Amino acid sequence: MKTASDHKAVIRELVIMTAAVAIVAAAVYFFLVPSHASVSSIAGLGIVLSNFVPIPLSVITMILNVILLIIGFFTCGKEFGAKTVYTSIMLPVFLGLFEKIFPGFTSMTDSQELDVLCYILVVSIGLSILFNRNASSGGLDIVAKIMNKYLHMDLGKAMSLSGMCVALSAALAYDKKTVVLSVLGTYFNGVILDRFIFDHNVKRRVCIISEREEELRQFIIHDLHSGATIYESIGAYNMQKRNEIITIVDRSEYQKLMAYINRLDSKAFITVYTVSDMKYQPKK
């Protein structure tokens, strides 16, 4: 049975996700639409299609997202949770709201290049919030997951490929400059997301050899609330046996761990590796 705190957590999650989707929609409407560029998103494809279909961008985006959601449910099943459905629906809703409040909006910067740059910076804020809440904006994320499942393509490469296809679609309606801006915008958008979003979630594998092994183990388990593995290691120089503690921590846990080791045992031997992907295979 859900408690009041559970309901508050759900409401807080919805508020944060709604705000993030609103930021993404604002980036699309106020910067991407005026630039006419088609940068790595379903909304970007919608901008191109709006030149051929006489309906608002919000409606085109809604239709595309609903179609992709249906295909996603049939092809990938439960991988598409409530968060994906919610954000996929809310994005065109916010676009429709902006269309009503700011009809015929042109450009804030009067520069196509600056509009694309502003779009990349603003949309990255919204997407970073969504990704860090284990959510997405739907659209091309669904396409990438389908490609990942059936073409066995790496998810990052699938995102890049689908994004570039959308960027190149600008050639159907716009001049060469807009196509080039769309491609460059897609590339730099991916760079920013990789650097400031996915790197944020990278964990570190820390290997420690210390004379204060038991105190260190207790700190990792009870203070960091993290797991650890202990291996017996043998020094090659004097063949002395020591235990090596290995743990995987995120950025904040890593800082706490390093500060604790400096206080506990300044002579501890530490090696650190970056971990970008972890998989757990449950017993069958």
Side-chain angles (χ1 to χ4, degrees):
M1 185 176 180
K2 288 188 176 181
T3 63
S5 60
D6 292 329
H7 289 296
K8 287 181 180 178
V10 171
I11 293 172
R12 182 173 179 272
E13 188 82 356
L14 281 175
V15 169
I16 292 173
M17 286 173 56
T18 302
V21 174
I23 292 172
V24 173
V28 171
Y29 188 75
F30 295 112
F31 297 110
L32 193 62
V33 174
S35 74
H36 300 298
S38 182
V39 179
S40 188
S41 66
I42 284 298
L45 179 60
I47 291 172
V48 174
L49 293 177
S50 65
N51 289 275
F52 306 100
V53 183
I55 54 178
L57 174 62
S58 57
V59 177
I60 296 175
T61 306
M62 176 70 82
I63 292 171
L64 291 174
N65 273 338
V66 169
I67 291 173
L68 287 173
L69 280 172
I70 293 171
I71 295 173
F73 275 116
F74 278 109
T75 57
C76 298
K78 294 180 180 179
E79 288 184 30
F80 298 93
K83 289 182 178 180
T84 302
V85 175
Y86 180 74
T87 54
S88 296
I89 300 300
M90 287 305 297
L91 179 59
V93 167
F94 275 113
L95 287 175
L97 186 63
F98 291 141
E99 287 171 347
K100 294 290 184 183
I101 299 174
F102 306 100
F105 185 83
T106 55
S107 172
M108 284 186 181
T109 65
D110 294 322
S111 168
Q112 192 179 26
E113 295 85 353
L114 287 177
D115 280 335
V116 172
L117 177 60
C118 290
Y119 165 76
I120 293 171
L121 295 176
V122 176
V123 81
S124 296
I125 296 172
L127 291 177
S128 65
I129 297 171
L130 287 175
F131 286 147
N132 287 320
R133 310 305 295 189
N134 197 29
S136 71
S137 59
L140 291 187
D141 299 340
I142 300 174
V143 176
K145 286 184 179 180
I146 294 171
M147 294 171 67
N148 172 255
K149 181 173 183 178
Y150 290 97
L151 300 179
H152 306 290
M153 186 180 294
D154 179 75
L155 198 58
K157 291 180 180 178
M159 281 290 293
S160 299
L161 180 60
S162 57
M164 281 299 175
C165 288
V166 169
L168 292 172
S169 71
L172 298 173
Y174 302 112
D175 57 18
K176 293 178 182 178
K177 178 183 176 182
T178 303
V179 175
V180 171
L181 277 175
S182 298
V183 171
L184 289 176
T186 298
Y187 172 76
F188 286 114
N189 188 42
V191 169
I192 289 177
L193 289 179
D194 285 341
R195 176 63 183 88
F196 294 104
I197 296 175
F198 299 122
D199 278 4
H200 178 77
N201 295 322
V202 165
K203 293 183 181 293
R204 290 172 172 83
R205 181 176 184 264
V206 186
C207 307
I208 313 151
I209 297 176
S210 169
E211 294 179 354
R212 311 283 290 274
E213 171 200 333
E214 180 57 26
E215 293 166 85
L216 183 58
R217 186 184 71 84
Q218 292 290 337
F219 176 80
I220 292 172
I221 294 172
H222 299 295
D223 291 77
L224 293 184
H225 303 289
S226 184
T229 304
I230 299 177
Y231 294 96
E232 185 179 71
S233 60
I234 302 176
Y237 181 73
N238 54 16
M239 300 301 291
Q240 183 178 358
K241 292 183 178 180
R242 288 279 185 86
N243 284 337
E244 180 181 32
I245 299 178
I246 299 176
T247 185
I248 295 177
V249 291
D250 61 26
R251 184 177 296 179
S252 62
E253 291 168 343
Y254 174 74
Q255 293 172 347
K256 293 176 184 177
L257 179 60
M258 289 300 101
Y260 180 77
I261 294 174
N262 286 334
R263 295 194 305 270
L264 179 72
D265 183 6
S266 59
K267 296 181 179 180
F269 178 75
I270 306 167
T271 54
V272 182
Y273 307 88
T274 299
V275 178
S276 58
D277 187 26
M278 294 185 297
K279 292 183 180 179
Y280 169 72
Q281 289 294 115
K283 292 181 179 179
K284 295 182 179 179

